[in-house]
Amino acid sequence: MSSPSDAKHTLINNRCDKKMTKTVLPATIIFLMLLASSCSNKETGLKDAFEGDFLIGTSLDARQILGTDKEAQSFIVKNFNSITAENAMKWENIHPYPGKYDFALADSMVSFGQKNGMFIAGHTLVWHSQTPDWVFQDSVGAPLTRDALIERMKDHISTVVGHFKGKVKGWDVVNEAVDEDGSLRKTKWLEIIGEDYIQLAFEFAFTADPGAEFYYNDYNNEFTDKREGVIAVINKLQQKGVKIDGVGIQGHWHLDSPDLNVIDESISKYASLGLKVMITEMEVNVLPTPPEVYGADVSQQAKYLESLNPYPGGLPDSVSNLLAQRYADLFSILLKHKDAVTRVTFWGVNDGYSWKNDWPIKGRTNYPLLFDRNYKPKPAYYAVIKEAEKQR
Ligand code: XIL
């Protein structure tokens, strides 16, 4: 495996060589020397290895958005060219009470992204989780009628998408609407409005910002039964002429699951519908996890047992190498599909920030990302860079 400095220099050299190969005139020599020196000083990161392939994103939480973590922002600018709010744009945060919107944190994230020329992804407009109970109730706590809930959803989507019009370039319009067996998930949205809530959400989003992209996002939607359900939802939207641009495969993955073939096949299937494919919330869990929580349903919790938290003091090399190999395999599939895959977003900037330390079991020490708790690249990082270099 190459060393950190090897990988960094290869990246710098690759970028600079392209600019330097032409024959130079004497008059431009000084200029080129300056350019060469600026190239050799230029810090490149993860995103640069995938330039021309797909965007590399990360989710951000308040500590990074507000800069309370002092190291975070320059690290993010170096390594990522797309950002997603981990929680700041979810209903419970951006629209906590009837008629009260709070854009402060999300606005800060958007201006950080704009300042640094990043693709800003919006997550998420219509979801069953992290949505307050009042959304589905009237002022005395009785369930809303279909018309009233449609009106409320319309107000939310037009206000939020309208607020970020031209700035947020793509929205997870509907999140996790399909169940494991491919049927529509039994949410309040479905119960009160009926199946067409999905279509209505996409239509309201389009009306609010016709220039943005609109996605359906889910976990486990690479597995056959659920995938068939998601494809049925997409087909219906497309038949009705509703604008849908892409599908997000969240990518809350494990060392041993899902099978690579399943991911490979799913990307092909979604792409064949004419959609962009994104991995929107990628990480690879390395801890033993009860099979019933091999998904990402945020309402699930499992009981803490010491046996389920085997590496509190650090990840053994043997597991770290397995993680590197798993990431290499995953990126080789993603690169194979680089015409369809437009963005790969990691769910967390480094291991310390991953939600997988607390979900589905609180208080564990997980290592699911490419950077460790001190922002140091892990073997998995170098394995991923190597995959990118292989195809050059
Ligand atoms: C998670 C966040 O990472 C946590 O901080 C929060 O407590 C719960 O939600 N699917 C999604 C994401 O679409 O929004 C979820 O994010 C993870 C599963």
Side-chain angles (χ1 to χ4, degrees):
M1 203 157 283
S2 52
S3 74
S5 63
D6 287 349
K8 191 168 145 194
H9 282 112
T10 316
L11 279 176
I12 290 166
N13 291 337
N14 284 349
R15 283 166 64 92
C16 292
D17 281 348
K18 281 183 206 146
K19 294 178 187 151
M20 295 294 186
T21 44
K22 301 249 166 71
T23 316
V24 289
L25 295 170
T28 58
I29 282 175
I30 292 178
F31 168 73
L32 287 173
M33 281 170 70
L34 284 172
L35 178 63
S37 89
S38 87
C39 278
S40 56
N41 287 333
K42 190 167 168 150
E43 277 212 304
T44 54
L46 182 61
K47 63 179 174 16
D48 302 287
F50 295 93
E51 204 177 319
D53 300 330
F54 35 69
L55 295 170
I56 295 287
T58 181
S59 62
L60 298 187
D61 81 358
R63 290 163 292 183
Q64 297 131 15
I65 296 170
L66 301 174
T68 33
D69 176 341
K70 299 270 179 287
E71 230 178 312
Q73 293 195 350
S74 57
F75 176 85
I76 290 160
V77 171
K78 175 179 162 187
N79 286 291
F80 303 100
N81 48 22
S82 174
I83 51 175
T84 306
E86 184 170 355
N87 289 299
M89 290 188 185
K90 292 173 180 172
W91 196 311
E92 68 179 10
N93 295 317
I94 212 161
H95 187 182
Y97 306 106
K100 184 182 178 312
Y101 286 87
D102 181 355
F103 290 110
L105 189 58
D107 277 344
S108 300
M109 188 196 84
V110 167
S111 41
F112 170 73
Q114 283 195 303
K115 193 173 123 210
N116 293 293
M118 294 167 156
F119 180 94
I120 302 164
H123 176 76
T124 175
L125 298 169
V126 173
W127 191 22
H128 61 282
S129 291
Q130 295 182 274
T131 303
D133 290 344
W134 65 259
V135 172
F136 307 101
Q137 296 165 356
D138 66 15
S139 54
V140 294
L144 282 189
T145 62
R146 168 180 153 92
D147 286 350
L149 186 56
I150 291 176
E151 206 37 57
R152 190 159 276 174
M153 178 168 89
K154 183 178 179 186
D155 168 73
H156 179 81
I157 294 178
S158 349
T159 308
V160 175
V161 176
H163 181 85
F164 295 112
K165 187 172 179 180
K167 298 176 179 169
V168 169
K169 303 289 185 189
W171 283 98
D172 294 339
V173 178
V174 175
N175 201 31
E176 302 175 0
V178 176
D179 234 325
E180 302 310 292
D181 65 358
S183 65
L184 286 184
R185 189 189 279 271
K186 313 296 171 285
T187 64
K188 290 275 179 218
W189 295 111
L190 181 68
E191 191 188 307
I192 298 175
I193 298 180
E195 281 189 24
D196 59 342
Y197 86 87
I198 298 176
Q199 177 184 340
L200 289 166
F202 275 83
E203 287 172 344
F204 295 148
F206 175 74
T207 306
D209 185 0
E213 292 186 341
F214 304 109
Y215 318 130
Y216 176 78
N217 193 51
D218 215 327
Y219 64 84
N220 284 357
N221 52 343
E222 59 276 19
F223 290 105
T224 323
D225 289 351
K226 190 156 180 174
R227 184 176 73 204
E228 290 312 309
V230 171
I231 289 175
V233 166
I234 293 165
N235 283 338
K236 222 174 243 171
L237 292 174
Q238 290 182 326
Q239 278 154 16
K240 300 225 156 138
V242 176
K243 185 174 184 282
I244 171 164
D245 300 280
V247 62
I249 295 174
Q250 291 182 4
H252 294 293
W253 289 328
H254 303 263
L255 280 177
D256 59 351
S257 163
D259 197 273
L260 294 170
N261 295 329
V262 168
I263 299 173
D264 192 356
E265 190 180 273
S266 293
I267 298 175
S268 301
K269 289 224 173 204
Y270 288 131
S272 73
L273 302 175
L275 296 178
K276 297 179 174 179
V277 180
M278 285 144 282
I279 311 301
T280 51
E281 306 180 15
M282 189 178 195
E283 91 255 311
V284 175
N285 167 50
V286 301
L287 299 182
T289 292
E292 67 275 15
V293 281
Y294 257 44
D297 181 346
V298 301
S299 67
Q300 288 181 311
Q301 275 292 318
K303 196 171 161 276
Y304 181 92
L305 296 172
E306 238 156 61
S307 59
L308 298 179
N309 188 26
Y311 320 121
L315 193 63
D317 285 352
S318 57
V319 187
S320 178
N321 292 338
L322 288 177
L323 182 71
Q325 187 55 51
R326 175 74 167 149
Y327 263 112
D329 293 344
L330 290 168
F331 269 83
S332 107
I333 304 277
L334 300 179
L335 285 164
K336 174 178 154 196
H337 290 285
K338 65 184 181 190
D339 289 346
V341 174
T342 55
R343 171 166 58 92
V344 176
T345 289
F346 291 87
W347 209 239
V349 178
N350 72 32
D351 283 344
Y353 284 111
S354 170
W355 76 304
K356 285 289 175 130
N357 293 299
D358 287 306
W359 187 92
I361 296 172
K362 274 208 184 338
R364 296 198 296 176
T365 308
N366 214 329
Y367 304 84
L369 297 165
L370 300 185
F371 300 98
D372 73 12
R373 287 166 167 75
N374 299 313
Y375 292 104
K376 207 168 141 267
K378 294 157 58 177
Y381 170 89
Y382 297 109
V384 158
I385 297 283
K386 212 163 159 191
E387 286 306 309
E389 284 172 355
K390 264 192 205 164
Q391 41 132 28
R392 301 284 179 221

